[in-house]
């Protein structure tokens, strides 16, 4: 059995969540996915605050981050993660509908590890998710302190 | 006969005058003689000589030296004949000499006085003529100043107006008579751009001053003038008078103000336009993000349904499912193209010198996938370099070349030509020609519009954004696009860009 890292997904759209989970399920990557529905919840999870105060403080193997989020938007989440000494080791993949160069440039400026535009075509979408999941949760050697099972 | 008359006319004024002058001598001596004889009859003997002296004096004064000599001679003869013993004889003796000398001396004296008088008279006349000439010249000069459109006036050191030309009268509405003697700053209610003391200090220091003044006219309206002052000093160097020339610049000022207000309006519009542009950008961003998400869901769940419930669907259901998927994908393409199109309008252009030959080579290289298995005859002419944004111009060529490849699909062999056409001397005109489906020239105006298509989508696929993109890019370069086509014979697309 391969070692699969835990995936933290930050996505407000339940349909996108379901499609993503379906895609990951096909490759047996879905059982270690944590879904947070807005920027604030994602930060609570990462900083072990609020309803996540009691969780063990290991890092996930990767965070899949949407940019357009309620309350705290994706770029702000990215900024806080990359300016925290412990969290900056966490690989962050922006997974968004936006092809805007502005978003791309801002994300890379803030130190994102990858930027993926969600394809409209379902096959491409499933492929993209699968490759992301396989690469970051399986192939990539996660930084020390992240969860493996 | 006539000639004689003419000559006598020509000489007549001189002779009668001479005769009259010598006549004066004869008459005056005769009158003196008669008077002296009459007086002697009443017993007064010594009055004769003074009377002759008087006759000589009158002749010398009025008739000149010649008649004076005649008068002296006649007086001496008459005196000797009538009043010196022996009476009634012309017997000259030494005793006559004092009387003759007296007459001579008196005649000479009066002649001399007369000469002096004439000289003084001459000088006076000359002086008068000179004065008159000067007056005429001055008047002419003054009337020249009246001819100018500028308003000119002169004021003395007490600011009282001493000269006021017609231009001033026309500008301000006061006549010369009304203005002269008035204090100019009071009359015109001058508003100065700086304290008057400073202005006058500059005037005294440099001899001149220039600036803009506001004056009030006779009818109460104000007028803006460009004013030039020149100072005239007397021989001791003290300020004597100021010449003030004023030009009405009210219209100019009004136009300046109009331009300023138009500029302000323009700035307002520009700000509005920028705001509209920002809104449009925000709109494009939402389209990019929010419109794609539901589309992905439609496609995604339709796909999932197809996969998991495919066997449950009948033939019709499966066809519907396929159409849903195709439509969703097509809408995705439309959105992507529209976004790319709107991005061209917002992107900054980076103008450099672009080697078009090399650009064409790159574009053809990238088109190889599309042309696999096709029989295409390429004719590529050498192209010059031009000035433009390389990546945008590449997009233009990509669009035109892929159109040419697409619309020649039913031709064997297809011919595609890229070359240079005639244009202005500061631009490069490039054309892309094909022998494909072509188009009807009556729809040529629709060709470059967004989402305009002239072919059915099941024959030639596409979103109808390619040529709109081409036009937008070329317009951003300050160039032009045009197209020529014949149905089923092919089309030619031209674009112009600035020369490098």
């Amino acid at each position: 059995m391969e070692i699969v890292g835990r995936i933290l997904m930050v996505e407000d759209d339940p349909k996108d969540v379901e499609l993503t989970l379906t895609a990951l399920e096909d490759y047996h990557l879905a059982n270690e996915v944590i879904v947070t529905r807005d920027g604030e919840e994602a930060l609570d999870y990462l900083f072990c605050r609020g309803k996540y105060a009691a969780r063990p403080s290991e890092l996930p193997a990767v965070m899949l981050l949407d940019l357009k989020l309620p309350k705290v938007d994706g770029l702000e989440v990215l900024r806080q993660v990359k300016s925290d000494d412990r969290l900056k080791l966490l690989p962050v993949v922006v997974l968004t509908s936006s092809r805007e160069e502005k978003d791309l440039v801002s994300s890379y400026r803030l130190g994102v590890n990858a930027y993926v535009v969600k394809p409209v075509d379902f096959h491409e979408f499933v492929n993209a998710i699968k490759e992301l999941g396989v690469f970051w949760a399986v192939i990539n050697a996660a930084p020390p302190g992240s969860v493996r099972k | 006969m006539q000639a004689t008359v003419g000559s006598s006319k020509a000489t007549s004024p001189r002779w009668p005058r001479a005769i009259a002058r010598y006549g004066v001598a004869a008459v005056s001596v005769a009158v003196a003689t008669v008077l002296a004889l009459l007086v002697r009859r009443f017993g007064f003997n010594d009055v004769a000589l003074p009377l002759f002296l008087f006759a000589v004096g009158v002749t010398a004064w009025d008739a000149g030296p010649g008649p004076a000599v005649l008068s002296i001679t006649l007086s001496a003869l008459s005196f000797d004949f009538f009043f010196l013993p022996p009476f009634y004889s012309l017997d000259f003796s030494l005793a006559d000499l004092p009387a003759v000398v007296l007459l001579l001396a008196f005649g000479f004296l009066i002649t001399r006085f007369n000469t002096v008088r004439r000289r003084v008279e001459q000088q006076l006349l000359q002086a008068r003529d000179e004065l008159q000439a000067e007056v005429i010249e001055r008047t002419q000069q003054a009337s020249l100043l009246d001819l100018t459109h500028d308003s000119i006036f002169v004021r003395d050191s007490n600011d009282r107006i001493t000269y006021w030309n017609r231009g001033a009268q026309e500008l301000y509405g006061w006549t010369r008579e009304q203005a002269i003697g008035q204090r100019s700053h009071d009359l015109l209610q001058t508003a100065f751009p700086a304290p008057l003391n400073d202005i006058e200090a500059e005037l005294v220091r440099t001899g001149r001053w220039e600036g803009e003044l506001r004056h009030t006219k006779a009818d109460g309206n104000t007028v803006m003038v460009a004013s030039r002052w020149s100072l005239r000093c007397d021989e001791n160097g003290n300020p004597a008078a100021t010449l003030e020339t004023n030009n009405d610049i009210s219209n100019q000022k009004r136009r300046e103000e109009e331009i300023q207000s138009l500029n302000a309006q323009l700035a307002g519009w520009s700000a509005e336009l920028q705001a509209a542009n920002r809104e449009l950008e925000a709109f494009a961003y939402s389209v990019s993000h929010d419109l794609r998400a539901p589309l992905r869901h439609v496609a995604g769940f339709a796909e999932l349904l197809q996969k998991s419930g495919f066997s449950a669907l009948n033939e019709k259901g499966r066809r519907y499912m396929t159409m849903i998927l195709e439509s969703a994908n097509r809408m995705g393409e439309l959105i992507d193209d529209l976004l790319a199109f709107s991005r061209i309008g917002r992107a900054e252009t980076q103008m450099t010198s672009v080697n078009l030959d090399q650009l064409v080579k790159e574009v053809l290289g990238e088109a190889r996938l599309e042309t696999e298995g096709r029989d295409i005859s390429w004719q590529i002419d050498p192209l010059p370099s031009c000035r433009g944004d390389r990546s945008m111009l590449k997009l233009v060529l990509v669009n035109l070349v892929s159109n040419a490849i697409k619309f020649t699909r039913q031709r064997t062999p297809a011919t595609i030509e890229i070359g240079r056409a005639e244009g202005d001397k500061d631009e490069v005109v490039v054309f892309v020609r094909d022998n494909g489906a072509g188009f009807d020239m009556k729809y040529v105006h629709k060709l470059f519009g967004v989402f305009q298509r002239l072919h059915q989508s099941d024959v030639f696929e596409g979103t109808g954004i390619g040529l709109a993109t081409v036009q937008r890019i070329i317009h951003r370069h300050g160039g032009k696009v045009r197209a020529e086509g014949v149905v089923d014979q092919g089309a030619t697309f031209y674009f112009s860009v600035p020369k490098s």
Side-chain angles (χ1 to χ4, degrees):
Chain A
M1 182 79 194
E2 284 169 302
I3 301 167
V4 178
R6 181 182 291 167
I7 297 172
L8 170 64
M9 189 169 145
V10 193
E11 172 64 69
D12 68 314
D13 190 324
K15 299 193 189 74
D16 264 338
V17 172
E18 193 174 337
L19 283 177
T20 310
L21 288 179
T22 310
L24 290 172
E25 243 164 39
D26 283 359
Y27 299 92
H28 313 290
L29 298 164
N31 48 348
E32 269 302 310
V33 180
I34 290 142
V35 179
T36 51
R37 302 296 300 277
D38 60 56
E40 194 179 83
E41 194 186 343
L43 289 171
D44 281 352
Y45 179 86
L46 291 168
F47 289 99
C48 307
R49 299 184 300 221
K51 65 176 177 179
Y52 297 105
R55 79 167 185 92
S57 66
E58 322 99 326
L59 287 178
V62 64
M63 171 162 75
L64 302 180
L65 179 66
D66 193 9
L67 287 184
K68 209 174 177 193
L69 293 168
K71 297 181 192 170
V72 182
D73 74 15
L75 287 175
E76 175 58 22
V77 173
L78 181 61
R79 195 189 63 73
Q80 291 200 23
V81 167
K82 289 300 177 185
S83 51
D84 182 88
D85 269 348
R86 187 179 68 96
L87 292 177
K88 75 164 90 164
L89 298 175
L90 168 68
V92 180
V93 176
V94 164
L95 188 60
T96 176
S97 302
S98 168
R99 281 182 188 282
E100 285 297 303
E101 199 176 293
K102 198 174 60 185
D103 287 337
L104 191 71
V105 171
S106 313
S107 303
Y108 275 109
R109 284 242 167 84
L110 291 171
V112 78
N113 301 75
Y115 188 102
V116 177
V117 179
K118 296 174 189 168
V120 170
D121 185 278
F122 183 68
H123 290 288
E124 287 175 32
F125 181 76
V126 169
N127 270 333
I129 297 296
K130 179 198 86 182
E131 277 164 21
L132 275 176
V134 169
F135 179 80
W136 290 104
V138 181
I139 296 171
N140 186 45
S146 49
V147 196
R148 297 268 168 171
K149 75 163 189 178
Chain B
M1 184 67 192
Q2 274 189 338
T4 323
V5 170
S7 75
S8 78
K9 261 187 186 169
T11 51
S12 62
R14 206 183 302 157
W15 284 109
R17 202 182 300 156
I19 290 166
R21 280 167 62 212
Y22 285 94
V24 168
V27 168
S28 60
V29 171
V31 168
T33 307
V34 170
L35 279 175
L37 288 173
L38 276 174
V39 167
R40 193 170 62 178
R41 187 158 298 174
F42 295 104
F44 300 100
N45 281 328
D46 297 334
V47 186
L49 191 59
L51 279 170
F52 283 116
L53 285 176
F54 186 72
V56 168
V58 165
T59 311
W61 187 262
D62 269 346
V69 169
L70 177 67
S71 168
I72 290 164
T73 311
L74 289 176
S75 295
L77 289 173
S78 177
F79 189 63
D80 185 63
F81 189 78
F82 291 109
F83 303 102
L84 282 181
F87 295 122
Y88 309 112
S89 76
L90 280 174
D91 210 7
F92 272 100
S93 64
L94 209 61
D96 301 348
L97 203 61
V100 172
V101 169
L102 196 63
L103 285 169
L104 274 171
F106 196 70
F108 179 75
L109 188 71
I110 297 299
T111 306
R112 172 117 189 88
F113 278 169
N114 197 20
T115 313
V116 169
R117 182 203 71 164
R118 276 176 203 279
R119 203 168 56 226
V120 169
E121 209 174 67
Q122 208 81 47
Q123 282 171 348
L124 270 175
L125 278 177
Q126 201 180 340
R128 189 198 65 183
D129 289 349
E130 278 170 12
L131 209 63
Q132 251 170 3
E134 197 173 334
V135 165
I136 288 168
E137 198 186 320
R138 290 258 175 123
T139 315
Q140 278 171 346
Q141 281 174 353
S143 64
L144 274 181
L145 280 183
D146 269 348
L147 284 180
T148 170
H149 292 281
D150 298 348
S151 86
I152 300 173
F153 61 86
V154 178
R155 49 193 164 81
D156 62 16
S157 52
N158 293 321
D159 192 30
R160 300 239 176 241
I161 296 168
T162 57
Y163 175 77
W164 184 261
N165 83 337
R166 206 184 55 184
Q169 180 174 327
E170 281 170 3
L171 176 59
Y172 297 116
W174 283 289
T175 64
R176 190 165 296 172
E177 291 73 29
Q178 289 170 318
I180 285 179
Q182 302 269 357
R183 292 174 64 88
S184 74
H185 299 328
D186 295 344
L187 182 72
L188 300 171
Q189 299 175 37
T190 314
F192 299 98
L196 184 55
N197 287 340
D198 295 355
I199 294 176
E200 282 177 343
E202 190 186 329
L203 184 66
V204 169
R205 197 174 63 245
T206 64
R208 52 180 53 229
W209 178 82
E210 282 182 30
E212 287 177 8
L213 301 176
R214 200 178 64 234
H215 283 151
T216 305
K217 300 198 274 190
D219 60 13
N221 290 327
T222 56
V223 59
M224 284 303 297
V225 294
S227 193
R228 278 196 295 265
W229 299 5
S230 313
L231 188 66
R232 197 170 66 79
C233 294
D234 59 18
E235 54 268 32
N236 299 323
N238 294 321
T242 307
L243 179 84
E244 186 170 331
T245 310
N246 293 324
N247 281 314
D248 184 358
I249 53 165
S250 301
N251 283 336
Q252 200 180 322
K253 277 273 156 194
R254 196 155 41 236
R255 254 169 278 160
E256 266 172 35
E257 274 160 24
E258 268 169 33
I259 288 171
Q260 269 171 6
S261 88
L262 280 178
N263 272 346
Q265 212 172 354
L266 214 58
W269 286 343
S270 159
E272 274 173 38
L273 214 60
Q274 273 173 5
N277 250 343
R278 270 196 300 276
E279 252 170 56
L280 215 60
E281 255 175 67
F283 174 75
Y285 183 85
S286 317
V287 169
S288 143
H289 196 276
D290 298 352
L291 227 54
R292 287 160 62 92
L295 204 59
R296 197 170 50 246
H297 302 152
V298 170
F301 288 107
E303 187 84 16
L304 286 177
L305 184 61
Q306 205 180 31
K307 203 153 66 178
S308 63
F310 204 67
S311 49
L313 290 172
N314 60 14
E315 186 63 31
K316 219 180 208 174
R318 283 198 284 266
R319 199 164 66 81
Y320 291 164
M321 198 55 69
T322 311
M323 280 157 80
I324 290 171
L325 283 169
E326 276 176 12
S327 298
N329 285 333
R330 174 153 178 77
M331 187 159 171
E333 282 168 23
L334 282 171
I335 290 172
D336 284 351
D337 282 358
L338 199 59
L339 279 174
F341 180 67
S342 89
R343 217 173 287 135
I344 291 163
R346 291 178 280 138
E348 305 254 325
T349 49
Q350 289 177 334
M351 304 297 262
T352 54
S353 179
V354 180
N355 181 337
L356 284 172
D357 275 334
Q358 203 187 339
L359 205 61
V360 168
K361 228 171 266 168
E362 268 175 46
V363 170
L364 294 186
E366 286 169 22
R368 202 162 294 146
L369 266 180
E370 291 178 66
T371 58
E372 228 159 62
R374 295 270 310 274
D375 179 6
I376 298 177
S377 139
W378 294 95
Q379 289 180 30
I380 313 296
D381 298 338
L383 294 173
S385 341
C386 70
R387 194 165 170 71
D389 182 297
R390 195 172 195 282
S391 61
M392 283 200 183
L393 290 182
K394 185 172 174 183
L395 196 54
V396 167
L397 282 169
V398 165
N399 272 303
L400 293 179
V401 167
S402 74
N403 269 359
I405 294 169
K406 182 162 72 182
F407 290 105
T408 52
R409 198 181 292 151
Q410 285 142 344
R411 296 282 183 278
T412 317
T415 310
I416 299 174
E417 189 184 347
I418 301 175
R420 186 184 179 182
E422 288 295 310
D424 289 349
K425 63 179 190 321
D426 52 352
E427 61 178 17
V428 178
V429 181
V430 178
F431 68 83
V432 179
R433 180 174 294 145
D434 66 60
N435 64 341
F439 61 90
D440 191 332
M441 279 301 275
K442 74 179 168 198
Y443 301 120
V444 71
H445 61 282
K446 284 185 156 187
L447 214 53
F448 294 98
V450 180
F451 290 146
Q452 291 290 348
R453 293 172 43 79
L454 298 184
H455 302 277
Q456 288 159 4
S457 57
D458 49 352
V459 184
F460 294 110
E461 73 292 341
T463 55
I465 207 97
L467 288 179
T469 305
V470 167
Q471 172 169 278
R472 196 160 193 179
I473 290 172
I474 295 303
H475 281 182
R476 284 206 68 174
H477 282 77
K480 289 193 191 91
V481 290
R482 67 190 164 91
E484 289 165 0
V486 177
V487 174
D488 284 333
Q489 290 183 29
T492 311
F493 292 88
Y494 299 87
F495 67 87
S496 62
V497 275
K499 240 179 205 167
S500 69

